[in-house]
Every structure is written in structure tokens, then in C-alpha cells.
Amino acid sequence: MRKASAVIILPLVLAFAFVGCTKYTSEPSAEETAVICRYLGVSAEEPDRVSIHVVYNRHEDPVYLLGVSESGYVIAKRSNLMICENGGKNPYAEYMELKKYYGEPLSYTVYDPSNAEKPYHNLVFDTYGTTYSEAHMGQ
């Protein structure tokens, strides 16, 4: 029984360790760009019709991609390129030049270095904080 448990548990632990150690670049790859274009209904030969931005989680890891086109937006997780959410109105539209964070559906935050006192801005609840967590405390 112990041997069977080890055979099952050990591969799972190793898989989670590798997923947790994945390092993403600060720019989307060609494969990521092609998938985001496809999600937005844009030909991969016309990537200039799509704007793709790296989006961070609360741990400062660049684990999401935001794709924006005339037809709407999509947020996808980089590990499997599955859609987390999509829609017609880009939630970051007014903040595209800022560093973007995504926590879950309807959880959008930006980092604005021009606001020295409270640079993190939770866009959904319009709350500010000195840290990402503090900006979400007002929820």
C-alpha cells in the first residue's frame, strides 16, 4: 500500500513543484501571441491588430496575458493559455500604460508610480494602498 501511495503522490508533488517554478519572460512568446490573437478572432498574420500585455499576480509573477482588440479583451493564464475571462470592455482601458495585476475574475489592480503614497489602485472598488494587499483591504 505504501509503495502504491508513493507511486501516486511523488509524481504529483514533482508536477506541482515544476509548475510553481515556472519562470515567464516579460514579453509574450510567439505561441502566446498566436493563441491570444485566435481568442480575439484576429489572424496571427495581423498581430498589430491586437495589443498584448503581461499581467502580474499579487506575488509579482507575470503569469497572465491581457489581449485587447477592437472586438474586446481576453485574460489568459500563461501556464496553459486557458481563458480566465473575456468580454467587450477592457477593465484596464484607462490604465494601459501602468503595471497591471489580476487576482481573479473582477479583480483588477494597477500600480501607478506617480502616486507615491498609495501606488496600488484596486479598479473594482476604487481603493488605494501602499501594497497590493492594502488596496484590497477595503473590499
Side-chain angles (χ1 to χ4, degrees):
M1 182 70 172
R2 286 185 187 184
K3 187 174 182 177
S5 295
V7 170
I8 294 171
I9 293 172
L10 186 60
L12 289 174
V13 169
L14 291 174
F16 285 118
F18 284 117
V19 170
C21 295
T22 302
K23 299 292 181 198
Y24 297 104
T25 62
S26 60
E27 295 294 322
S29 69
E31 176 190 359
E32 291 171 330
T33 299
V35 171
I36 296 295
C37 285
R38 186 172 66 241
Y39 284 152
L40 291 169
V42 175
S43 168
E45 287 77 42
E46 300 177 291
D48 55 325
R49 293 183 50 212
V50 174
S51 175
I52 301 176
H53 305 267
V54 171
V55 181
Y56 297 80
N57 66 10
R58 65 186 179 100
H59 302 292
E60 298 289 332
D61 298 318
V63 298
Y64 301 101
L65 293 175
L66 167 68
V68 181
S69 72
E70 291 177 4
S71 65
Y73 78 97
V74 64
I75 298 174
K77 192 160 188 163
R78 294 178 87 177
S79 62
N80 56 13
L81 291 174
M82 296 299 294
I83 295 175
C84 296
E85 70 176 75
N86 63 341
K89 185 176 181 321
N90 172 12
Y92 300 98
E94 298 175 33
Y95 307 94
M96 292 306 288
E97 72 283 355
L98 300 177
K99 185 174 183 178
K100 291 165 270 318
Y101 294 84
Y102 180 74
E104 57 190 38
L106 303 176
S107 178
Y108 320 108
T109 303
V110 293
Y111 178 82
D112 185 356
S114 69
N115 184 347
E117 289 185 28
K118 295 187 175 187
Y120 291 88
H121 179 196
N122 179 318
L123 303 178
V124 175
F125 295 100
D126 196 28
T127 53
Y128 293 82
T130 57
T131 64
Y132 176 93
S133 295
E134 187 178 294
H136 287 262
M137 294 290 281
Q139 295 183 28

